[in-house]
């Protein structure tokens, strides 16, 4: 098979910025390399790098140098000018900073990856048992949650951290809004964060946001006992680009896990399906939130 036949058309990433573009380009380069039977070690030698650098490039974990991409394309036998131009242009676009770049001083690298994936996802399913998910937080609730980890941050930094979170929420509206399906343990809503007034406003915000056609909120009541998500909160992100696998995201105290193997994502999808069946329906959950708002 000729290398040019392996240069697949890549659909444009919609809203995900450089993160998804790097993943798409990396996947394309991996296909070209394996089709030629070239090892990562040999590919790394061609661009004066290690096999580990090739692995990171193919996973979209680092930025691309156009010269390196050009050298790899030559090594992989991609000589068609149009194919080369398209992939080199993708490399240039992948190196453009995302909208969140101005907040880079606040973002750990492991979470910066998530923001890029969140921006590109077409569907996000999430389960939470401690806090309201970031995409559904009111500004005051967000401030209270953020202050738990950054209680000594100056006011200017706190404002920027809240602005970063509220800017992310623009994914719920606009031209191509993400479909968000959230299952919240009742503990999330019973735990007072920021005081009574903040919690009341947060519940009202949840009710309003759940009214959007692309947002589904379900509550898992205490009386359901144990349930499928015994391991804690997680999110599943699905993308419109067929080249991208589903990604399971699990945040930890100072890092995160990203799982993209099919067996792993299918397992978590089944868990999420069971949670959705065990939880109150969206209509029942709305009534629960409305009742809770009256007594908070």
């Amino acid at each position: 098979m000729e290398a040019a036949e392996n240069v697949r058309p890549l659909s444009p990433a919609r809203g995900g910025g450089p993160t998804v573009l790097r993943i798409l380009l990396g996947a394309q380069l991996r296909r070209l390399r394996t089709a030629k039977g070239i090892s990562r070690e040999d590919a790394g030698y061609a661009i004066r790098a290690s096999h580990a650098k090739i692995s990171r490039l193919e996973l979209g974990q680092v930025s691309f140098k156009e010269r390196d991409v050009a050298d790899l394309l030559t090594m992989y036998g991609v000589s068609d000018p149009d194919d080369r131009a398209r992939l080199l242009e993708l490399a240039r676009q992948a190196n453009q900073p995302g909208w969140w770049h101005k907040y880079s001083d606040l973002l750990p690298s492991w979470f910066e990856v998530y923001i890029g994936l969140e921006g590109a996802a077409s569907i996000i399913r999430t389960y939470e048992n401690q806090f309201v998910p970031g995409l559904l937080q009111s500004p005051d609730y967000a401030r209270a949650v953020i202050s738990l980890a950054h209680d000594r941050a100056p006011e200017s930094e706190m404002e920027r951290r809240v602005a970063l979170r509220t800017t992310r929420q623009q994914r719920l509206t606009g031209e191509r809004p993400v479909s968000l399906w959230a299952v919240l343990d009742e503990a999330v809503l019973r735990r007072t964060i920021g005081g009574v007034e903040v919690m009341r406003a947060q519940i009202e915000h949840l009710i309003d946001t759940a009214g959007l056609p692309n947002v589904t909120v379900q509550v898992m009541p205490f009386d359901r006992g144990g349930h499928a998500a015994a391991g804690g909160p997680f999110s599943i992100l699905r993308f419109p680009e067929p080249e991208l696998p589903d990604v399971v995201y699990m945040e930890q105290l100072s890092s995160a896990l990203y799982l993209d193997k099919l067996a792993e994502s299918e397992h978590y999808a089944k868990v999420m399906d069971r949670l959705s069946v065990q939880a109150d329906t969206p209509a029942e959950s709305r009534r629960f939130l409305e009742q809770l708002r009256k007594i908070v």
Side-chain angles (χ1 to χ4, degrees):
M1 180 180 292
E2 296 298 322
E5 294 177 4
N6 287 292
V7 179
R8 304 182 186 178
L10 299 178
S11 53
R14 298 178 290 186
T19 304
V20 169
L21 293 177
R22 287 199 301 265
I23 294 173
L24 289 171
L25 179 56
Q28 181 71 86
L29 291 174
R30 182 173 63 252
R31 282 194 292 266
L32 291 169
R33 178 181 60 78
T34 56
K36 281 291 187 179
I38 297 172
S39 69
R40 288 192 179 93
E41 288 79 4
D42 288 342
Y45 183 81
I47 63 169
R48 304 152 296 278
S50 66
H51 68 90
K53 172 69 175 295
I54 294 297
S55 179
R56 290 193 295 271
L57 286 172
E58 292 180 350
L59 291 172
Q61 294 177 344
V62 293
S63 59
F64 293 88
K65 294 180 180 177
E66 286 186 50
R67 183 184 68 176
D68 290 346
V69 174
D71 289 347
L72 289 174
L73 293 178
T74 298
M75 186 181 195
Y76 301 159
V78 180
S79 57
D80 182 270
D82 291 338
D83 288 337
R84 291 179 66 90
R86 182 166 53 80
L87 291 171
L88 288 171
E89 175 60 25
L90 189 60
R92 284 189 286 272
Q93 293 177 16
N95 286 332
Q96 295 297 315
W99 64 263
W100 57 90
H101 179 71
K102 64 181 179 180
Y103 300 104
S104 59
D105 58 313
L106 305 177
L107 289 169
S109 58
W110 53 266
F111 191 65
E112 192 168 348
V113 171
Y114 176 78
I115 292 181
L117 295 176
E118 181 182 81
S122 56
I123 300 173
I124 299 176
R125 301 180 70 185
T126 186
Y127 166 73
E128 268 289 352
N129 63 0
Q130 185 169 2
F131 301 116
V132 173
L135 290 178
L136 295 174
Q137 291 180 4
S138 68
D140 287 340
Y141 183 94
R143 174 184 290 272
V145 171
I146 293 168
S147 67
L148 295 175
H150 303 280
D151 58 313
R152 297 185 179 181
E155 182 62 22
S156 58
E157 177 184 324
M158 185 62 69
E159 288 298 327
R160 293 179 65 222
R161 289 186 181 277
V162 173
L164 169 62
R165 190 158 301 188
T166 55
T167 301
R168 285 170 51 203
Q169 295 173 2
Q170 294 177 10
R171 284 294 288 123
L172 297 178
T173 57
E175 185 179 354
R176 295 187 182 95
V178 66
S179 293
L180 177 64
W181 188 347
V183 178
L184 310 183
D185 192 278
E186 185 176 342
V188 171
L189 305 167
R190 297 291 187 181
R191 182 177 291 108
T192 302
I193 302 292
V196 173
E197 292 301 322
V198 170
M199 281 307 299
R200 183 179 295 114
Q202 174 60 68
I203 293 169
E204 291 175 351
H205 183 72
L206 270 177
I207 294 171
D208 292 341
T209 309
L212 294 173
N214 54 304
V215 176
T216 300
V217 174
Q218 291 182 263
V219 176
M220 179 71 74
F222 287 143
D223 63 17
R224 301 298 148 84
H227 52 72
F234 65 94
S235 297
I236 305 172
L237 298 91
R238 177 163 293 178
F239 308 93
E241 293 79 13
E243 299 89 353
L244 295 181
D246 289 356
V247 174
V248 179
Y249 171 78
M250 290 181 289
E251 188 170 320
Q252 300 173 330
L253 188 61
S254 59
S255 63
L257 291 177
Y258 294 87
L259 309 177
D260 62 0
K261 291 183 173 59
L262 182 60
E264 294 169 330
S265 60
E266 286 184 342
H267 171 72
Y268 278 91
K270 290 177 181 177
V271 171
M272 188 65 79
D273 287 342
R274 292 201 295 272
L275 288 172
S276 301
V277 171
Q278 290 177 281
D280 281 350
T281 67
E284 292 169 340
S285 298
R286 184 181 183 88
R287 288 193 290 272
F288 176 90
L289 290 170
E290 291 172 343
Q291 292 170 359
L292 186 60
R293 177 178 54 182
K294 298 175 182 178
I295 62 175
V296 169

